[in-house]
Amino acid sequence: MSLPAEFFSQSAGASELRDPKTSGTIMMQVDPEELIWKKELANATTSAANLLEKLELGHHIQIADNKPDFKCLVTDSYIYKMQLGNINDPLLRQVLPLNQENNLTTQYHGAIDPVGDKNNEVSQGLLHKYHGRALLISTGACAIHCRYCFRRCYPYQQSSCTGKAVNDAIEYLNSHREVEEIILSGGDPLTLDNEKLAGLISALESIKHVQTLRIHTRLPVVLPNRVNHGLLDLLRSSRFQIVVVIHANHANEL
């Protein structure tokens, strides 16, 4: 069951799910730490105008695209790292949609799939570019939308490794013993909650010749509450050698 964020409330380590159709309440045990980062993500800023207002930069609205095809998305944790009143703040420039993005001459010289993902897809959401490693598109979700994203046009709905596609990926990997490392990418794999991430890692652990799991993520920078005790316990308990690659672009992010 998927419900909007407003139907969740926290109480004594448990959560109440309020069904808007029946007004009934279902009590479920939910990790309070999981609710913290999910709430921040649900309340992320999705408007260029709102982003500029929060940074006392509303007078620069003319340079921003307030209805971009690749929508604005930025967490409060990341906004708090930006400098008030500085339109050239290096973190702001990573996430602020600009009218310049709609320059057709520039776009004409660009590429929809600049790193060749689709040419290397061996099953839905599984990319095998290099001999000893494969990459899983584990989700299309991110905590922020970086304007330079090289997967902004990636067809996530048709090409993410979710549901039945996980079984197909495991079947492929079991037949390719040269693969010793799996990269979890996306989107951002840490936007999966601990339960979903644990299920995916458990499935991958069944592939005996895979020894290393590499997780590429921006969340420790842009949504640090995601790094909670449940996540650390999950990574610590895995048989894999876990490598976390943190995506950071500027010293101010650290």
Side-chain angles (χ1 to χ4, degrees):
M1 176 172 60
S2 177
L3 295 174
E6 60 264 31
F7 297 122
F8 285 79
S9 66
Q10 180 182 334
S11 176
S15 285
E16 296 179 359
L17 288 180
R18 294 191 177 90
D19 188 331
K21 296 180 180 178
T22 65
S23 298
T25 298
I26 307 170
M27 294 301 298
M28 295 179 61
Q29 289 295 323
V30 178
D31 183 352
E33 288 188 329
E34 287 282 270
L35 293 176
I36 292 172
W37 70 265
K38 288 183 178 181
K39 181 177 180 179
E40 181 177 349
L41 184 55
N43 292 327
T45 298
T46 57
S47 159
N50 290 344
L51 175 58
L52 290 172
E53 287 294 336
K54 287 183 177 183
L55 294 168
E56 301 178 1
L57 291 166
H59 54 289
H60 286 284
I61 189 62
Q62 73 278 2
I63 70 171
D65 182 356
N66 211 38
K67 293 184 178 180
D69 292 336
F70 184 52
K71 75 174 185 178
C72 176
L73 180 69
V74 54
T75 59
D76 282 346
S77 289
Y78 199 58
I79 294 173
Y80 292 155
K81 296 174 185 284
M82 299 174 189
Q83 183 180 2
L84 290 177
N86 183 5
I87 191 61
N88 292 313
D89 180 273
L91 277 57
L92 172 63
R93 299 301 288 212
Q94 294 180 48
V95 297
L96 177 64
L98 298 174
N99 288 321
Q100 287 176 317
E101 293 180 28
N102 301 315
N103 185 307
L104 296 180
T105 301
T106 301
Q107 295 294 346
Y108 177 78
H109 292 287
I112 292 177
D113 185 12
V115 295
D117 283 337
K118 292 303 293 180
N119 289 336
N120 291 281
E121 188 177 54
V122 292
S123 69
Q124 182 177 320
L126 179 66
L127 311 179
H128 194 182
K129 294 183 182 181
Y130 308 107
H131 178 76
R133 66 175 67 99
L135 182 147
L136 275 179
I137 304 292
S138 55
T139 176
C142 285
I144 67 170
H145 282 175
C146 305
R147 307 317 301 172
Y148 53 80
C149 180
F150 60 80
R151 288 203 180 112
R152 63 191 292 170
C153 297
Y154 188 83
Y156 285 108
Q157 287 189 334
Q158 300 84 21
S159 298
S160 292
C161 195
T162 57
K164 180 182 179 297
V166 175
N167 296 329
D168 295 337
I170 290 174
E171 182 178 352
Y172 175 89
L173 293 168
N174 273 323
S175 65
H176 287 75
R177 299 189 60 82
E178 75 276 14
V179 177
E180 298 180 346
E181 178 180 16
I182 300 293
I183 302 168
L184 290 188
S185 187
D188 195 309
L190 291 191
T191 59
L192 298 175
D193 63 28
N194 289 339
E195 182 179 0
K196 291 178 181 177
L197 189 61
L200 179 57
I201 292 176
S202 177
L204 294 173
E205 285 177 332
S206 68
I207 309 166
K208 299 189 183 303
H209 52 273
V210 174
Q211 300 300 316
T212 302
L213 183 69
R214 188 143 55 101
I215 300 174
H216 285 211
T217 181
R218 196 126 162 73
L219 265 68
V221 172
V222 304
L223 188 61
N225 280 322
R226 176 63 187 96
V227 185
N228 55 34
H229 290 90
L231 176 63
L232 297 178
D233 289 344
L234 168 59
L235 300 183
R236 192 180 294 119
S237 65
S238 175
R239 74 160 181 84
F240 286 136
Q241 177 186 1
I242 302 285
V243 178
V244 178
V245 180
I246 296 178
H247 180 175
N249 299 314
H250 194 276
N252 292 358
E253 295 180 335
L254 306 178

